[in-house]
Amino acid sequence: MKKQNRIRKILKWLNHYFIFFLFIAFIITCCTMLFVSALRNSLNITLTEENISTAAKLTFLNVILLSLVFTVIDTVRRKLTVERPIKKITDAAEKIVHGDFSVRVKPQSRFATDENFNNVIDCFNKMAEELGSVETLRTDFIANVSHEMKTPLAVMQNYGTLLQMPGLSEEKRIEYAKGVTDGARRMADMMTNILKLNRLENQQIYPQVTEFDLGEQLCECLLQYENVWEKSGIEIETDIAENIKVKADAELLSHVWNNLFSNAFKFTPPGGKVTVSFTATEHHAIVKVTDTGCGMTPETGKHIFEKFYQGDTSHSVQGNGLGLALVKRVVDIMHGEISVESTLGKGSSFTVKIGRC
Ligand code: ADP
């Protein structure tokens, strides 16, 4: 079957090229004959019909043979330098279509192919790598969401079962009902964060830039945590520059401050201290949130801006590892910078730098 296919291919090829050769050979032979007869007339040379017919046959055959040789050479060249790299790229693309993102195409030797093919191969490999990481992110994301949802659901289920017990005291009933509402709140918080992050990542939120007093916004956000710091006896220190205006999306920025403040209070034990400072240069606004909390290891520090990453599992009930991912995304959208310095057991300091206009 394979042999038959090959023979059919060769016949097709011959058929395709043979008509072309015959046509070219015919034209060249006619031209040569015209040239010979013009030469014969002008130089008065006597040529017999037989001479002319031999010359025509020779020219015709010569053209056929030479074209055949050059076509074979050209076919081999095309096979090696064009068809081979194209086949490699097509095979790899087919693997990607079937979900194998690990496939990569080897660059061709510079002598064997056109440099442009290597550019295409280079782009193809980058695309495969990018698709692979998007796929990993997607599967990780689904796994993380499912995992994060399972915990509050299990808690709510348990409290729901307990609530069904007959003869519950009023105190127990309130406690179990609170367990259910806490679980529901946790899930609602997570969903809100996921939706926010999703909208931010898909750029469905375009910054609504207005001019506002950043110091005022920081104070307003901080005051929302007044009962938290009073309850846990955390000392607050502020050094906030006054009357400094920035041009930015106020609502998006408030997410940044709320997340940084809530983390600072969450990870700082009673009796600790949270410091908020805001300074401004001509072009930049710099906000620093420092705490004397549990701090983090350098390894944790490397991952805190990843979605669902939680370094400190003792506080995992109060969060879902999405806060700092959201903060980072907002800062990126504003072309700002965020950095963290932290020492385990001593505290952390987050610095956000954004442009003022
Ligand atoms: P969550 O607070 O919900 O766990 P985040 O995205 O806000 O999620 O934070 C990710 C991780 O970064 C936290 O689990 C914690 O390990 C670390 N982290 C963030 N802020 C602080 C802080 N102020 N002090 C110590 N660790 C922190």
Side-chain angles (χ1 to χ4, degrees), residues 263 266-267 291 296 304 309-312 319-321 323-324 348:
N263 276 349
K266 186 163 73 181
F267 294 107
D291 63 64
M296 56 187 116
I304 52 173
Y309 180 83
Q310 290 191 295
D312 184 305
N320 41 48
L324 286 181
S348 314

Side-chain angles (χ1 to χ4, degrees), residues 82-96 100-109 113 117-129:
V82 181
E83 286 176 20
R84 205 153 70 166
I86 285 182
K87 186 164 178 346
K88 275 189 181 177
I89 296 171
T90 321
D91 288 350
E94 220 154 83
K95 280 190 185 163
I96 287 188
D100 176 5
F101 298 104
S102 63
V103 65
R104 299 287 181 274
V105 184
K106 254 198 193 161
Q108 303 289 294
S109 138
T113 189
F117 271 114
N118 278 344
N119 292 341
V120 173
I121 289 172
D122 201 32
C123 289
F124 181 90
N125 287 341
K126 277 187 195 149
M127 180 198 74
E129 199 173 315

Side-chain angles (χ1 to χ4, degrees), residues 134-205:
V134 169
E135 178 64 9
T136 317
L137 272 181
R138 193 179 68 87
T139 43
D140 280 4
F141 185 79
I142 293 171
N144 280 325
V145 172
S146 319
H147 177 78
E148 288 293 322
M149 277 173 78
K150 261 168 84 182
T151 322
L153 275 176
V155 173
M156 283 159 72
Q157 211 173 5
N158 284 344
Y159 279 120
T161 318
L162 288 172
L163 267 175
Q164 288 169 23
M165 277 171 32
L168 274 182
S169 67
E170 184 63 6
E171 194 189 338
K172 284 285 168 204
R173 191 185 61 77
I174 292 173
E175 184 193 328
Y176 298 154
K178 193 174 171 302
V180 176
T181 38
D182 280 355
R185 190 181 31 76
R186 229 188 117 189
M187 273 183 66
D189 284 352
M190 186 177 70
M191 286 305 161
T192 314
N193 273 344
I194 288 176
L195 288 175
K196 266 188 213 157
L197 207 58
N198 189 37
R199 285 174 68 204
L200 284 172
E201 289 197 330
N202 295 325
Q203 284 285 340
Q204 285 170 17
I205 291 181

Side-chain angles (χ1 to χ4, degrees), residues 259-260 262-268 291 293-296 300 303-306 308-313 315-316 318-326 342 347-350:
N259 275 301
L260 293 183
S262 82
N263 276 349
F265 292 118
K266 186 163 73 181
F267 294 107
T268 304
D291 63 64
C294 61
M296 56 187 116
T300 303
H303 301 284
I304 52 173
F305 297 111
E306 291 169 15
F308 292 106
Y309 180 83
Q310 290 191 295
D312 184 305
T313 44
H315 293 84
S316 63
Q318 294 172 37
N320 41 48
L322 288 172
L324 286 181
L326 214 124
S342 186
S348 314
S349 183
F350 286 83

Side-chain angles (χ1 to χ4, degrees), residues 238-250:
T238 54
D239 179 11
I240 295 176
E242 283 175 21
N243 299 325
I244 303 287
K245 302 256 186 207
V246 293
K247 276 188 188 158
D249 186 319

